[in-house]
């Protein structure tokens, strides 16, 4: 009798993961670790790099405004960036380098030089970033279009002046729309541009207008439910959109029945400006540091004793014992 549910789950997995290479890789990485007790020889499929730790935003569901005054901030040494690039560009299975982590990447005056260096070392590598879009003036847009950046994600999260400026205090709704329109007029098909929408209680009614705007400007879009990942979001229940959608149902299916564990430590790496490597890109409080690139290679950290110990706890659903995971809504989906 137990064979039928297993067959059903495998068929459901194929349907849910159809065309989703990233999700499928994470699934197989978790299964590999369960069988072998180690992640080797698998390597990360993506890595996020914080070339600096600063942001010009005060978004309501972002912990940066509070934590920026409590935690050390800074810019990554050039030598460290080069060291990371020299290592990761040799990974055959690396899918993407995300030059953004808990920051606004376009504040980095060396951002485009960093893109250039990664691309010289490995022209096939996908280079991406996520920006709040407020710095997209004509000069920056020209630099983006002349660079080797492959993917650009712009956080919009609303489609009315009132909601946008409530969620993003200090930012101008008209300004970011004008910048997106200008980028749309100038961009070529070489650069993939998507608009991002974090679904909250405040903005859910504006989703159709957001999608229509993205389509009219020849851009893709991404919609995500706001999640209290790593217990980062103050007053989470004020933003939580509790209505069931296909997105939220799919996320629950994937984590509870297919992954059966948080996938991030099995497929992703996150490096802070000072070289610290986090177990999770959402660990804004820096509670689970698993190594430092100044003293170890990324390979050593990825396959290291600390990382594998935490992976075993995650496989065993012992999230409460990991400070960065204990109250994470993503981890709770796996229980």
């Amino acid at each position: 009798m137990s064979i039928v549910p297993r067959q059903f789950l495998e068929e459901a997995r194929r349907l849910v993961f159809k065309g989703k290479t990233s999700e499928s890789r994470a699934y197989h990485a978790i299964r590999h670790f369960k069988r072998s007790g180690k992640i080797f020889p698998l390597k990360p499929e993506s890595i996020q790099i914080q070339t600096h730790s600063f942001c010009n935003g005060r978004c309501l569901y972002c912990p940066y405004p509070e934590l920026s005054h409590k935690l050390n901030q800074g810019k990554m040494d050039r030598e460290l960036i080069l060291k990371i690039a020299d290592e990761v560009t040799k990974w055959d299975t690396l899918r993407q380098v995300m030059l953004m982590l808990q920051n606004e990447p376009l504040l980095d005056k060396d951002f485009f030089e960093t893109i250039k260096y990664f691309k010289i070392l490995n022209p096939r590598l996908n280079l991406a970033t996520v920006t709040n879009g407020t710095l997209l003036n004509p000069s920056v847009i020209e630099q983006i279009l002349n660079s080797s950046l492959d993917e650009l994600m712009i956080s919009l999260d609303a489609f009315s002046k009132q909601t946008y400026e409530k969620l993003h205090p200090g930012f101008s709704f008209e300004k970011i729309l004008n910048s997106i329109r200008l980028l749309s007029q100038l961009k070529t098909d070489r650069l993939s541009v998507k608009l991002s929408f974090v679904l909250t209680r405040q903005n859910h009614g504006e989703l159709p207008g957001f999608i229509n705007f993205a389509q009219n400007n020849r851009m893709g879009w991404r919609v995500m439910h706001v999640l209290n990942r790593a217990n980062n979001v103050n007053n989470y229940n004020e933003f939580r959109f509790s209505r069931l959608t296909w997105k939220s149902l799919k996320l629950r299916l994937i984590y509870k029945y297919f992954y059966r564990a948080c996938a991030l430590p099995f497929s992703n790496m996150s490096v802070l400006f000072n070289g610290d490597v986090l177990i999770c890109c959402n660990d804004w409080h820096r509670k689970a540091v698993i190594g430092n690139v100044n003293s170890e290679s990324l390979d050593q950290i990825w396959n290291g004793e600390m990382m594998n110990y935490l992976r075993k706890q995650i496989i065993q659903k012992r999230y409460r014992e990991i400070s960065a995971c204990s109250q994470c809504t993503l981890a709770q989906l796996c229980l």
Side-chain angles (χ1 to χ4, degrees):
M1 296 294 293
S2 62
I3 296 177
V4 176
R6 191 179 301 118
Q7 290 176 334
F8 171 78
L9 284 174
E10 281 300 305
E11 183 61 29
R13 180 182 66 81
R14 284 191 287 269
L15 289 172
V16 171
F17 287 177
K18 185 178 181 181
K20 302 291 185 180
T21 305
S22 179
E23 292 173 353
S24 182
R25 285 180 179 176
Y27 170 79
H28 288 293
I30 293 170
R31 290 192 56 162
H32 169 76
F33 188 85
K34 285 181 177 180
R35 290 193 303 266
S36 65
K38 56 185 179 181
I39 200 69
F40 182 83
L42 301 181
K43 294 184 185 295
E45 70 150 351
S46 66
I47 185 169
Q48 286 189 244
I49 302 170
Q50 186 186 65
T51 63
H52 71 90
S53 63
F54 305 106
C55 186
N56 60 337
R58 294 182 285 114
C59 307
L60 293 191
Y61 43 78
C62 177
Y64 176 82
E66 176 186 355
L67 293 180
S68 62
H69 301 293
K70 296 180 179 180
L71 301 173
N72 291 334
Q73 307 296 323
K75 181 175 169 61
M76 185 176 282
D77 290 338
R78 190 65 184 167
E79 294 75 14
L80 186 56
I81 293 177
L82 302 184
K83 177 185 177 182
I84 293 171
D86 291 344
E87 183 172 359
V88 304
T89 52
K90 296 173 184 174
W91 293 348
D92 293 337
T93 57
L94 186 66
R95 181 182 63 87
Q96 185 180 77
V97 172
M98 174 66 72
L99 293 170
M100 176 271 178
L101 177 61
Q102 303 174 5
N103 67 346
E104 169 46 52
L106 296 180
L107 287 171
D108 182 0
K109 64 181 180 62
D110 299 315
F111 180 73
F112 296 104
E113 282 300 313
T114 300
I115 291 174
K116 182 179 179 180
Y117 187 77
F118 272 89
K119 211 67 169 182
I120 288 173
L121 292 179
N122 188 342
R124 298 186 303 276
L125 199 59
N126 180 280
L127 298 179
T129 198
V130 181
T131 175
N132 58 38
T134 60
L135 300 176
L136 290 175
N137 58 42
S139 174
V140 172
I141 290 174
E142 183 180 5
Q143 287 180 283
I144 290 172
L145 297 177
N146 290 333
S147 75
S148 300
L149 187 69
D150 297 293
E151 295 186 24
L152 176 68
M153 185 83 69
I154 304 170
S155 297
L156 191 54
D157 302 329
F159 202 66
S160 75
K161 177 180 176 65
Q162 180 180 2
T163 305
Y164 177 82
E165 295 183 0
K166 179 179 180 180
L167 293 175
H168 304 288
F171 290 169
S172 165
F173 184 60
E174 292 87 353
K175 182 176 183 295
I176 192 169
L177 290 192
N178 288 336
S179 296
I180 291 170
R181 291 188 182 104
L182 178 60
L183 177 61
S184 170
Q185 294 169 9
L186 298 176
K187 84 176 189 70
T188 65
D189 292 337
R190 188 201 65 77
L191 176 66
S192 171
V193 181
K194 291 183 179 180
L195 304 183
S196 178
F197 193 98
V198 177
L199 194 65
T200 68
R201 184 177 297 180
Q202 291 80 7
N203 66 12
H204 65 91
E206 300 175 10
L207 184 57
F210 163 82
I211 293 175
N212 186 58
F213 177 75
Q215 291 176 327
N216 289 341
N217 285 279
R218 302 184 299 123
M219 294 179 181
W221 68 89
R222 177 185 70 174
V223 180
M224 305 180 297
H225 281 248
V226 64
L227 293 173
N228 195 17
R229 296 180 175 182
N231 195 31
N232 287 324
V233 183
N234 289 331
N235 304 317
Y236 171 61
N237 287 329
E238 293 182 13
F239 301 102
R240 179 172 175 263
F241 183 65
S242 57
R243 191 181 306 167
L244 189 65
T245 67
W246 166 240
K247 283 273 185 185
S248 61
L249 178 60
K250 179 182 176 183
L251 195 65
R252 181 170 294 277
L253 284 171
I254 289 174
Y255 275 82
K256 187 171 182 64
Y257 296 105
F258 301 137
Y259 288 166
R260 300 182 183 179
C262 178
L264 292 176
F266 299 88
S267 58
N268 299 68
M269 291 194 85
S270 302
V271 187
L272 294 177
F273 75 96
N274 61 359
D276 282 346
V277 179
L278 302 175
I279 190 176
C280 172
C281 58
N282 299 295
D283 184 9
W284 283 80
H285 295 264
R286 306 175 190 173
K287 291 182 176 179
V289 175
I290 54 173
N292 188 287
V293 194
N294 285 293
S295 56
E296 304 172 86
S297 71
L298 286 166
D299 265 332
Q300 289 171 326
I301 297 170
W302 177 251
N303 295 292
E305 183 177 343
M306 173 61 76
M307 189 65 167
N308 283 331
Y309 172 73
L310 292 173
R311 288 186 181 114
K312 288 177 183 177
Q313 287 185 302
I314 288 168
I315 290 292
Q316 296 167 2
K317 303 186 188 301
R318 292 158 55 194
Y319 296 104
R320 295 183 185 277
E321 299 176 30
I322 307 172
S323 55
C325 308
S326 60
Q327 299 182 62
C328 176
T329 51
L330 200 60
Q332 291 167 10
L333 293 178
C334 308
L335 300 176

